[in-house]
Amino acid sequence: VEPFSDLLLASRTIDDASPLGPGESYTRSATVTLPLDNDLFPGTFQLLLETDATGQRPELNEGNNVTSAAIDLTLPPLPDLFVSAIAAPAETVSNQPIEVTWVVTNQGPAAAAGSWIDAVLLSSDDQIGDDQLVGTFGFSGVIPAGESVTRRQAVTVPLLMTGAIFVIVQTDVGNALFEHSLDINNTSIDEHAIDVQPAPIPNLIVSELNAPTNVFSGQQIEVSWTVTNTGTGSTNALGWVDEVYLSFDEEIETGDT
């Protein structure tokens, strides 16, 4: 028995078999639960039984307290979710909502039952990775083996995301549903890009600043400025703040007052 690699399944205190005379025996049984996790793969394992595991009884030979029996361990039938289809509009404008439809299929031999989260992401290329999350959507229910569910949700394209944009959907984010090694196929990308045109965006610049050139410290002066929107769209905020600084140079820095 190796304490840092072997997994303890049961421990039984034997307090009704003593004294155990020479040639005498006792029989016990226990119901144990075999592990089911991502680190365990099918194969042949040894079921070990160690008597006097804590070494409480002095013996002639402490080296024969362990015996083994081989067992063939396989995985039970498990669900296997994957995103089998994605649909989105062919074109849109940034900063606008779009409807995304996707199909989650359970291609495993067991039902997928429980609650999990699907995520919708947008990518500026046709590769999965370093993508922008635009929505997460919970699911609770059952997808029987070999069946699918269709989901539709609205997401908003970010204001500055334009050009050919690809939709990515990941089902069971965080692997809430146990699939063992079958969760490697939970993310899919739509092969058809969305043509995202830029939305009209405002761009404020200070087009004029007027102030007297010769002044005294402690003196009040009149400052006036003009702000111009050189962008392609109108401002839609209720208001904003213009600030006046005194600086040693033409850049706003932490020490400016």
Side-chain angles (χ1 to χ4, degrees):
V1 176
E2 299 179 8
F4 297 105
S5 60
D6 298 331
L7 180 65
L8 180 64
L9 300 178
S11 181
R12 175 70 63 86
T13 299
I14 306 301
D15 55 9
D16 57 353
S18 184
L20 189 67
E24 294 182 342
S25 305
Y26 65 88
T27 300
R28 295 290 185 271
S29 64
T31 299
V32 299
T33 300
L34 298 176
L36 179 62
D37 56 50
N38 287 325
D39 295 328
L40 193 67
F41 286 85
T44 300
F45 291 78
Q46 297 294 323
L47 193 65
L48 307 179
L49 192 288
E50 182 178 23
T51 189
D52 190 22
T54 58
Q56 292 177 283
R57 296 289 179 263
E59 303 179 58
L60 293 175
N61 182 5
E62 296 283 358
N64 60 358
N65 285 11
V66 178
T67 192
S68 63
I71 59 172
D72 289 327
L73 193 63
T74 60
L75 292 173
L78 295 172
D80 180 14
L81 299 182
F82 81 108
V83 180
S84 55
I86 302 173
E91 58 184 22
T92 189
V93 176
S94 66
N95 203 37
Q96 295 297 315
I98 60 171
E99 184 180 80
V100 176
T101 302
W102 67 96
V103 178
V104 179
T105 298
N106 177 14
Q107 62 181 4
S115 300
W116 61 84
I117 292 174
D118 292 348
V120 178
L121 306 95
L122 297 179
S123 174
S124 57
D125 56 39
D126 60 355
Q127 302 297 315
I128 296 173
D130 296 325
D131 308 307
Q132 186 161 349
L133 178 69
V134 291
T136 56
F137 308 97
F139 176 88
S140 295
V142 178
I143 306 178
E147 297 192 17
S148 305
V149 296
T150 300
R151 309 199 65 189
R152 294 182 181 86
Q153 296 290 344
V155 298
T156 298
V157 179
L159 178 63
L160 300 180
M161 181 171 275
T162 59
I165 302 300
F166 295 83
V167 177
I168 296 171
V169 177
Q170 179 182 1
T171 190
D172 189 24
V173 176
N175 301 324
L177 183 71
F178 185 72
E179 302 177 73
H180 199 255
S181 60
L182 303 178
D183 53 19
I184 61 174
N185 60 354
N186 286 5
T187 304
S188 298
I189 185 169
D190 189 3
E191 61 181 8
H192 304 291
I194 304 173
D195 181 17
V196 180
Q197 297 298 315
I201 303 175
N203 183 39
L204 302 184
I205 68 167
V206 181
S207 53
E208 186 176 0
L209 175 62
N210 297 304
T213 56
N214 296 306
V215 294
F216 297 105
S217 296
Q219 177 185 355
Q220 287 188 339
I221 62 172
E222 184 73 21
V223 180
S224 66
W225 62 93
T226 300
V227 175
T228 302
N229 179 6
T230 62
T232 59
S234 300
T235 60
N236 57 8
L238 295 178
W240 54 85
V241 176
D242 291 350
E243 295 181 329
V244 179
Y245 287 87
L246 180 65
S247 175
F248 286 107
D249 53 33
E250 296 180 353
E251 301 293 332
I252 294 179
E253 299 171 346
T254 304
D256 295 337
T257 58

